[in-house]
Amino acid sequence: MTDDRKPGQEMELNDTGKEAPAAPDTDAMALTVNGRSVSLRVDPSRSLLDVLRNELGLKASRYGCGAGLCGACMVMVDGHAVPACDTPMWSAAGKDVVTVEGLGDERGPHPVQRAFIAEQAAQCGYCTSGMMIAAVALLRRCPHPTEAQARAGLERNLCRCGAHPRVLRAVARAAEEAAPGSGRA
């Protein structure tokens, strides 16, 4: 194999598993995703959603509108719910990213996940991960939201199935469950 590298150019594996020069329009980026340190070499203008889904295999965040208006792609970046579809990778570098996969699992679901299940707050499920992320971010900012605060906290999330009333009940249930002395685990 001949070495076609320019001085100082790094090598990386291409899709076939063979060494290839690193693409000139990529940057090494480090971030934390669901509590795990990750280092990637990606185009800094690529969307966080694209990298989460296609490089890291985290498929729960969905592509909806592509303009950050529907909430299907919401993830938390440093504790704030943001639309991953229009968040460039350069802005996520060095930050803590949490997707719905990082909230909990089957053995230990997050209180918001338990509340969504109990209130049957998902119909088709397409928007659910974004709704859960928005709900978690809201409850971190405001542990006991009024219905008006919950509506405002979820206003960037669209559900075409009409599950919003059940989602609001799930947010109230999760807040109650987290309250000291609630009797819920």
Side-chain angles (χ1 to χ4, degrees):
M1 178 171 147
T2 61
D3 191 350
D4 296 329
R5 279 185 270 192
K6 295 179 180 130
Q9 185 177 25
E10 294 182 28
M11 297 296 278
E12 60 183 30
L13 297 181
N14 64 18
D15 293 339
T16 64
K18 295 186 178 181
E19 233 181 38
D25 58 347
T26 63
D27 289 341
M29 299 197 184
L31 61 154
T32 302
V33 179
N34 296 335
R36 192 179 100 220
S37 294
V38 176
S39 183
L40 301 159
R41 182 166 284 286
V42 296
D43 179 340
S45 65
R46 260 177 91 184
S47 76
L48 176 58
L49 179 64
D50 183 45
V51 171
L52 290 171
R53 291 181 59 82
N54 298 312
E55 303 300 327
L56 300 177
L58 299 169
K59 305 285 187 179
S61 299
R62 308 290 174 87
Y63 183 89
C65 66
L69 301 173
C70 73
C73 65
M74 287 283 182
V75 298
M76 282 191 291
V77 176
D78 286 347
H80 301 281
V82 299
C85 71
D86 69 352
T87 299
M89 276 303 297
W90 62 260
S91 71
K95 305 230 171 123
D96 181 38
V97 177
V98 177
T99 68
V100 77
E101 291 98 334
L103 294 180
D105 59 29
E106 287 182 39
R107 290 185 309 235
H110 186 279
V112 167
Q113 292 171 315
R114 286 195 300 269
F116 266 66
I117 293 166
E119 294 296 335
Q120 299 178 6
Q123 191 156 326
C124 81
Y126 201 83
C127 68
T128 305
S129 66
M131 290 273 199
M132 285 184 184
I133 288 291
V136 170
L138 166 68
L139 292 172
R140 286 183 178 174
R141 282 191 325 272
C142 182
H144 305 287
T146 64
E147 184 176 334
Q149 289 170 319
R151 284 180 187 278
L154 297 170
E155 71 185 353
R156 294 178 67 191
N157 297 81
L158 301 177
C159 174
R160 296 175 194 265
C161 298
H164 277 283
R166 290 177 286 182
V167 170
L168 292 170
R169 287 195 306 268
V171 170
R173 179 184 282 257
E176 180 184 318
E177 182 177 316
S182 68
R184 294 188 178 179

